[in-house]
Amino acid sequence: MNWILVPQQFMTGILNGGTLALIALGIVLIYKSSEVFNFAHGHMVMLGAFLVWFFAGGTSQEASGMPFALPFGVAVVAAITVAVLVGLAIERFTLRPMTGQPLLAIILVTLGLAQLLEGTTTLLFGTQPKGFPSPIDSSSVITIEVPPINGQSIVFLDRIILKQVLVVTFIVAIIAAVIFILFFRFTRAGLRMRATSENHELARSVGIKVPRVFGMSWAIAGIIATIGGILLAMVSGVSINLATVALVAFPAILLGGLESFGGAILGGLIVGLVAEMVKASTVIQVRNSAEIAPYVLILIVLIIRPEGLFGRKRIERV
Amino acid sequence: MLKVNNIEVVYSDVILVLRGVTLEVGDGQIVSLLGANGAGKSTTLKAISGLLHSQQGEVTRGSIEFDGQRIDNLTPDDIVQLGIVQVLEGRPLFEHLTVEDNLRTGALFRGVSNAQLKQDLDEVYHFFPRLLEFRNRTSGYLSGGEQQMVVIGRALMAKPKLMLLDEPSLGLAPLLVQNIFRIIEQINAESGVSMLIVEQNANVALQTATYGYVMENGRVVLDGSAEALANNADIKEFYLGIGAGGERKSYRDVKHYKRRKRWLG
């Protein structure tokens, strides 16, 4: 371990992890409510980013073809609205007809959806990566000076450099996650969703409109995905690849446990952290393993705790 | 208030489960539906509450009427809205929710104010004082009897006119069974909720109910006032386990076997 690099990598890792946590939350939401692992979530994230890019009229280098460019904030609202409609449409037209079919078939449908979303996006916006009309300059940084102790540097170059955009995305992601969890925990709609997630037939028997709850889950997943997409795009621009970037949320979920929001958030932070921390290693092979490090970690965690760190344990009375 | 007219239920388009079931529940009445395993009791309840649809079941003939309105094609949530709530077999809970959250789910569809909700909760706690103590516990860890209380309490939160209870005595100790049925009677007397109770425990069911139906092989084979049923020789033998003169029966006993077979035909 190259200790002098650790503080810098630690901070960057945590900040990266925030967005992952938010994206992971969307997948957990769908899984909790309907037991469907949504492989299309990464593509919803990508679509969200493209939508904001489109509504905001693109960038000064490349216009999006939107006749009247909207201010960034309005573009975000417009994109979220579309994402909600897309979420509702997905539930209504692809998943509801599958009710009662084997779970595997439904999960495969989400794989198909992923392709559909990718194809549609390419068709509408082309394959070229775009710049993102980010309200924050991606080159501005926040520098934290760490003075050497007894003439001995504890941090490389005596300072930790944080990209301002990463700090902002982290804060936004955490706020969004907290709002969502409060909603789930304390509102009646949240109770409806929690009940449905436990037992569909039972939820039906107490008069909960289960299809409506599913629709709502997908709509919220659309919102979360779009916010995640915006945050990713602010850091790395808009492209089809965002869907793949969002795939890193999968290890985050498995790590935290498929059914736990808290676990998804923690999982996201850990994955972000691990992917950055390996870069502080002195061994070159480890240093270059940032992409696979989270998966190695999952293997270890799942061997010890098969339900993930915070997975729901089956309640069994003895 | 509830009229089931000669219904036929088919699962997955091929499996005929109910072959003409007719029964009636009057206002404020407790009616019990008896029968062996697989006789179609639970299916009858699910046909009434609309839960058949999610299990690929369908009412193919006959009709179900509630307060003069046909309900056999409504969705479960519409039927709950009308005032029929089913308490499913095996007292299923939202295990990871607290007791109070479980109770609250029962009232969700009514969209009432928080104050009203609080009042309804208090009413449930009046019938089940134990639950007040456990209101913030995770319901999955309660004992069987307490879970049964939660399940009935949750149904009460719907302010139903008719409750469909599927085997409330399942897996409970005799003393607890007595206790649960006493509360059922109390709810019926104080809140005027009609009850249709499916039971294997014919003894306690016939003590509580005023009228009873006996099902075999997907049809009603016998009905009558609870008293008449309790004194019926066949019921005594097949369900209450009291043989004529107290001696045990064997299949070698042709007369007994034929009598039983007549029912199954």
Side-chain angles (χ1 to χ4, degrees), chain A residues 29-36 99-101 103 106 192-211 213-214 217 312, chain B residues 51 54-55 76-77 88 92-94:
Chain A
L29 170 66
I30 297 293
Y31 183 81
K32 268 184 82 106
S33 70
S34 54
E35 282 180 352
V36 171
T99 313
Q101 300 296 321
L103 213 50
I106 303 178
R192 230 171 240 132
M193 293 169 85
R194 278 186 291 150
T196 305
S197 82
E198 286 213 16
N199 187 333
H200 298 172
E201 198 199 3
L202 183 54
R204 247 177 229 119
S205 82
V206 298
I208 293 173
K209 293 186 166 71
V210 172
V213 173
F214 287 169
S217 311
R312 180 181 276 177
Chain B
L51 287 173
S54 58
Q55 297 179 343
D77 48 89
L88 292 164
L93 294 158
F94 298 116

Side-chain angles (χ1 to χ4, degrees), chain A residues 188 195 198 201 312 317, chain B residues 55 94-96 112 114 142:
Chain A
R188 285 188 193 185
E198 286 213 16
E201 198 199 3
R312 180 181 276 177
R317 296 185 308 124
Chain B
Q55 297 179 343
F94 298 116
E95 288 185 342
H96 295 87
V112 294
N114 282 330
L142 297 181

Side-chain angles (χ1 to χ4, degrees), chain A residues 22 44 47-53 55 70 72-88 172 176 218-230:
Chain A
L22 186 65
M44 287 164 74
L47 181 68
F50 267 104
L51 286 172
V52 175
W53 171 82
F55 284 121
L70 301 169
F72 185 75
V74 184
V76 168
V77 174
I80 285 178
T81 312
V82 174
V84 165
L85 294 177
V86 170
L88 288 175
V172 172
W218 279 88
I220 295 177
I223 297 174
I224 293 179
T226 304
I227 297 175
I230 297 167

Side-chain angles (χ1 to χ4, degrees), chain B residues 244-259:
Chain B
E247 83 262 34
R248 292 178 59 186
K249 298 285 176 191
S250 86
Y251 279 103
R252 261 179 286 172
D253 185 338
V254 176
K255 204 174 145 215
H256 163 91
Y257 177 67
K258 273 194 173 157
R259 233 162 74 211

Side-chain angles (χ1 to χ4, degrees), chain B residues 173-222:
Chain B
L175 212 59
L176 263 173
V177 173
Q178 292 292 344
N179 193 0
I180 291 283
F181 271 84
R182 202 164 308 136
I183 295 173
I184 290 174
E185 278 173 14
Q186 193 193 349
I187 292 171
N188 172 262
E190 289 182 26
S191 307
V193 183
S194 312
M195 311 262 181
L196 177 57
I197 307 175
V198 157
E199 258 306 335
Q200 303 263 11
N201 188 338
N203 220 333
V204 69
L206 289 178
Q207 276 169 30
T208 308
T210 51
Y211 203 84
Y213 294 85
V214 179
M215 284 184 75
E216 284 285 354
N217 271 358
R219 64 170 69 122
V220 172
V221 290
L222 200 64

Side-chain angles (χ1 to χ4, degrees), chain B residues 105-213:
Chain B
T105 57
L108 273 177
F109 75 92
R110 291 161 55 212
V112 294
S113 68
N114 282 330
Q116 178 66 44
L117 197 69
K118 178 91 194 21
Q119 201 181 323
D120 295 349
L121 280 171
D122 287 342
E123 202 177 312
V124 171
Y125 292 139
H126 156 71
F127 287 118
F128 303 102
R130 291 263 320 245
L131 297 185
L132 185 61
E133 224 175 294
F134 296 145
R135 56 199 288 192
N136 291 322
R137 289 246 197 116
T138 303
S139 60
Y141 291 113
L142 297 181
S143 76
E146 289 151 7
Q147 293 192 349
Q148 188 64 55
M149 294 177 190
V150 175
V151 170
I152 295 177
R154 185 175 59 205
L156 266 183
M157 291 293 288
K159 293 273 161 209
K161 293 180 198 154
L162 170 66
M163 240 171 166
L164 311 171
L165 294 151
D166 200 345
E167 294 215 31
S169 75
L170 188 75
L172 296 183
L175 212 59
L176 263 173
V177 173
Q178 292 292 344
N179 193 0
I180 291 283
F181 271 84
R182 202 164 308 136
I183 295 173
I184 290 174
E185 278 173 14
Q186 193 193 349
I187 292 171
N188 172 262
E190 289 182 26
S191 307
V193 183
S194 312
M195 311 262 181
L196 177 57
I197 307 175
V198 157
E199 258 306 335
Q200 303 263 11
N201 188 338
N203 220 333
V204 69
L206 289 178
Q207 276 169 30
T208 308
T210 51
Y211 203 84
Y213 294 85

Side-chain angles (χ1 to χ4, degrees), chain A residues 10 12 22 74 85 132 171 262 297:
Chain A
F10 182 86
T12 315
L22 186 65
V74 184
L85 294 177
F132 191 68
I171 293 170
L297 183 70

